[in-house]
Amino acid sequence: MKKRGVILSTIVQKYGGTSMGSIEKIKSVAKKVILEKEKGNDVVVVVSAMGKTTNKLVDLAKEISVNPDKRELDVLLSTGEQISISKLSMLLNYMGYPSISLTGWQAGIYTEDKTENSNIKYIDTKKIKQELEKGKIVIIAGFQGINKNGDITTLGRGGSDTTAVALAAALKTKKCYIFSDVDGVYTADPNKVKSAKRLKNISYKEMSELSNEGAKVLHNRCVKIAEKFSIPIVTQSTFSSLTNNEIGTKISKKIEDNNIKSIVKKEVSRISIIGNKIINNYEIIEKIMKFIHENNIELLNVEIDETKMTLTSKNELGEDFLNVLHQVIFEDSSK
Ligand code: ADP
Ligand code: ASP
Ligand code: MG
């Protein structure tokens, strides 16, 4: 292993659930991390929960209640990333590369008060820098932070991308590398459209639209932060043996004229509440709208007439949402 001599630069890499799903995959992650360390860089690694762990944690919470306490839900959901950071750090240490895992709060990631979909307010990089100074690879839990009350918060599903870009901004790195199971951003989801082609470049504006419309490859908020701080994002595959840092897709301010980039399909959700004279039932309308607001549901349209109120949401709302809404409308109103 190289001693910490002259440091070329600080590199921020992020590996998502698709890269952390098994010990074999975590070994591929370790190889990519070591490659950068061996070049003489300081390496900060952000990781997500293994595979579908976060979905399983959501199900665990739903075993208790369809509408679990929001603070406690964030405490539960954030545990997935804690497993990942410790495993990767154990592996790197075992392979002879000193490393340390840090949770969101240990890494100084401060967020707004709100839970579930919180925004990062600032990052105190002191601890991260101290550990880099010691020559360690620093592994940070994505998707989580701490608010001013000392409570754990989470950043919304897919939020580890945002952790990585926010860290790249705070550490003033030249780029932010996001690794997943695909080697870049494609003309359509390559797991659904076999003939999709990889893009070499895409602008922040185009990528932000793509993420907003449901292309999972990057979290929408991370693209906004990258644009604000002018940090190019490079998306690459964890499982490619190619080592050139320039392969993959670069997301930057560069705009290519008259160039169609990608197509994406998003399932919108339509929910209707039926009942005579609903149009005059201000109490229930207010209750529903308050619930929608509190749960960060983005509405595309609201229609209301004598017997029906229909909400069309941008988010895909699952059965658990239907259960909670049912509780809000029927069980709460019968109290
Ligand atoms: P991770 O768990 O590593 O964060 P995600 O599942 O969030 O990975 O994002 C990677 C997935 O994004 C790919 O497996 C792919 O199916 C999906 N995806 C959707 N649209 C696109 C696109 N246009 N280009 C590349 N990947 C896409
Ligand atoms: N583990 C979190 C999720 O599944 C965050 C992430 O993957 O970025 O949403
Ligand atoms: Mg993701």
Side-chain angles (χ1 to χ4, degrees):
M1 190 202 52
K2 281 216 169 82
K3 290 266 177 303
R4 193 177 192 272
V6 180
I7 296 305
L8 288 178
S9 49
T10 303
I11 302 283
V12 173
Q13 300 182 325
K14 177 258 170 180
Y15 297 89
T18 56
S19 303
M20 298 291 296
S22 64
I23 192 62
E24 285 315 313
K25 289 183 178 179
I26 300 177
K27 282 181 185 164
S28 303
V29 169
K31 270 192 204 156
K32 294 265 178 203
V33 173
I34 289 169
L35 213 66
E36 286 306 325
K37 185 68 185 164
E38 282 291 347
K39 284 184 200 162
N41 292 313
D42 274 346
V43 189
V44 174
V45 187
V46 174
V47 291
S48 302
M50 294 172 68
K52 305 261 179 246
T53 300
T54 311
N55 290 355
K56 291 188 194 136
L57 293 170
V58 171
D59 292 344
L60 281 183
K62 297 281 150 68
E63 281 176 8
I64 310 263
S65 156
V66 286
N67 194 11
D69 182 278
K70 291 186 182 310
R71 179 190 182 279
E72 303 312 327
L73 182 63
D74 275 12
V75 173
L76 180 62
L77 296 193
S78 62
T79 60
E81 274 65 16
Q82 200 165 323
I83 295 173
S84 293
I85 52 171
S86 56
K87 276 191 142 177
L88 180 58
S89 187
M90 277 178 201
L91 179 61
L92 287 166
N93 279 309
Y94 173 76
M95 292 170 83
Y97 290 84
S99 77
I100 182 168
S101 66
L102 300 177
T103 60
W105 73 265
Q106 288 174 322
I109 301 176
Y110 290 88
T111 71
E112 301 168 333
D113 287 352
K114 80 170 176 185
T115 53
E116 271 185 288
N117 210 8
S118 207
N119 287 297
I120 296 175
K121 285 178 79 177
Y122 69 96
I123 302 180
D124 177 353
T125 56
K126 198 168 136 221
K127 171 88 176 156
I128 298 173
K129 286 181 176 157
Q130 277 172 355
E131 298 299 336
L132 291 174
E133 285 286 329
K134 292 181 203 162
K136 292 196 179 171
I137 298 169
V138 179
I139 322 264
I140 299 175
F143 172 61
Q144 56 174 263
I146 191 168
N147 67 19
K148 67 170 182 328
N149 309 318
D151 294 326
I152 295 172
T153 53
T154 60
L155 311 181
R157 298 304 306 271
S160 299
D161 297 334
T162 297
T163 306
V165 178
L167 277 165
L171 294 165
K172 299 190 170 55
T173 65
K174 290 195 190 92
K175 285 177 192 157
C176 181
Y177 294 91
I178 308 262
F179 288 87
S180 73
D181 59 341
V182 289
D183 65 349
V185 180
Y186 276 66
T187 48
D189 183 340
N191 286 324
K192 294 186 181 140
V193 178
K194 291 291 160 237
S195 57
K197 300 264 177 313
R198 184 171 58 82
L199 301 165
K200 280 196 174 138
N201 296 290
I202 185 167
S203 69
Y204 293 125
K205 295 251 166 347
E206 290 162 326
M207 190 63 228
S208 177
E209 295 288 0
L210 205 55
S211 299
N212 214 12
E213 291 306 324
K216 273 164 71 188
V217 64
L218 285 180
H219 196 224
N220 180 37
R221 227 179 287 146
C222 91
V223 185
K224 296 270 175 225
I225 298 176
E227 181 172 23
K228 184 170 168 195
F229 294 94
S230 290
I231 298 171
I233 301 174
V234 179
T235 62
Q236 295 184 335
S237 167
T238 305
F239 310 107
S240 152
S241 53
L242 299 172
T243 54
N244 179 355
N245 273 347
E246 298 311 320
I247 53 160
T249 301
K250 186 174 176 185
I251 298 104
S252 68
K253 58 177 182 249
K254 183 175 166 196
I255 297 172
E256 290 161 324
D257 276 344
N258 301 326
N259 212 340
I260 302 299
K261 287 287 156 94
S262 192
I263 61 171
V264 56
K265 171 171 134 338
K266 186 170 189 180
E267 308 292 347
V268 293
S269 296
R270 222 173 120 86
I271 294 196
S272 295
I273 301 108
I274 318 283
N276 194 31
K277 299 229 170 65
I278 190 169
I279 196 160
N280 297 324
N281 192 339
Y282 301 117
E283 195 195 333
I284 202 76
I285 294 173
E286 199 186 319
K287 202 182 244 184
I288 292 167
M289 294 317 283
K290 184 166 171 262
F291 175 74
I292 293 288
H293 178 72
E294 280 173 1
N295 285 276
N296 300 306
I297 307 292
E298 281 185 75
L299 290 179
L300 291 172
N301 193 25
V302 180
E303 293 161 63
I304 186 156
D305 62 24
E306 272 299 304
T307 48
K308 186 174 70 178
M309 177 178 185
T310 297
L311 310 167
T312 310
S313 148
K314 233 176 160 174
N315 315 57
E316 265 180 72
L317 304 175
E319 275 169 31
D320 48 338
F321 178 83
L322 204 61
N323 270 283
V324 184
L325 185 64
H326 181 269
Q327 192 178 55
V328 168
I329 295 175
F330 293 103
E331 291 164 41
D332 289 0
S333 63
S334 63
K335 275 181 197 157

